Amino acid sequence: MSESADRLRMPASRRADTRSVPGVGAAVEGAPKAQRDQQRIGNQAAQLLVRSGHVPAEVVLGHRSALGNQAVQRLLQVQRQSPVAPASSWASRRSAVRAARARGDGPEADRLTRDAIAAAATGATYPAGVPRRLPTPGDIRLDPKITADAHAQTRPKDIPAHPTDYWRWLSFTPELISGTEAQVQSVITHELVHVAQFTAIWKSFEQDTSPGKPSWEEFLKPYQLRKRVEGPEELQAHVTSLDFLNRLAPGEQVIALRGVFSSYVSTVAYVPPAGEAVAITAAEVGSKVLAYFAGAGGAVRQRMGAALWWSLIDVGPARATFIAVLRELRPVALAGYADPAVRPVYDELLQAEGIVQKDWR
Ligand SMILES: [Zn+2]
């Protein structure tokens, strides 16, 4: 996550700034009628899911969703990741951290966590523009304010003090140790994409010699506009998770896929201002997603389908974007739609959006 995007990784509703008005985010206030209708539909849709036994225990909802009630929040839950058998060295690192926490030795638990994350970084992918430099444990910053599901942040405000030491721009949740090592590698890879993005911005800032040169914070603003960050900038980072997906636990796959699809939907909806070079296009990612889907097993295909519909509900795009996404990722959309238990929910949603079968199938 970049700092403005940092909390956009799902579940967005865990953001402190939106928790006070659950489900009533920017997508609802002043929303077009279709979205308000969709919110009402959401109540019925959620009840259908409750009846069909599809409501898991832990609950979160992206604040951007036009659907707002508690039942829908349950429907849109991020499943708790089921423990999988990790590599033994990772398992022993995790046990050591747990043991330290259990005996109240927070500093030792943090030290062991930094060790583990630094070691996992050897398996991360460094994008173009980011010199490969493995972190020492001391380079790893932990921030307990970052929620378990937010994973990590890249903070551009830390760049001026350490322009070449990008590990100082990154902060990780201590909870990362609870997941798989592959997830840590995927999270680091995601953040390194943001490092590449901010490195490019920092270079243009440094090259700006104009007399009225703004502060770094001011200079950053156009790059941090919400739609841009939520769309192509995040998509460029999220798409890297496909390379790690088959090593993630099922619950981690769900979180990763929701990240890919939510940013994909936002990118399809994104209209860049004239002259802006987008970080990545939906078409480029769409073909990667479809290729991955074609080679995936049944369980992963099912998760991809469900995550795509979840993301459409969460982002709540305009009808044209909704249709475009369904058409462009049709095999994935159909895999989700094939689940008879949730199809009535999707049908209600489509009806609320005024989308008929021939629009996308
Ligand atoms: Zn990100």
Side-chain angles (χ1 to χ4, degrees), residues 296-332:
V300 171
R301 285 184 176 204
Q302 184 55 40
R303 273 175 217 129
M304 291 177 80
L308 175 58
W309 285 92
W310 186 96
S311 299
L312 281 163
I313 294 170
D314 186 52
V315 177
R319 179 177 180 273
T321 297
F322 208 120
I323 293 172
V325 170
L326 291 176
R327 291 176 72 101
E328 288 162 21
L329 299 180
R330 182 160 43 201
V332 184

Side-chain angles (χ1 to χ4, degrees), residues 8 29 59 62 114 123 126 133 138 145-146 157 165 198 209 211 218 220 236 253 270 274 313 318 331 335 340 350 356:
L8 300 177
E29 290 171 55
V59 179
R114 285 194 297 269
Y126 289 66
R133 189 171 69 70
K145 292 192 298 298
I146 300 174
K157 71 173 165 42
D165 189 1
F198 282 120
T209 54
E218 284 296 315
L220 268 175
Q236 187 181 35
Q253 289 182 343
Y270 184 59
I313 294 170
L350 293 167
V356 296

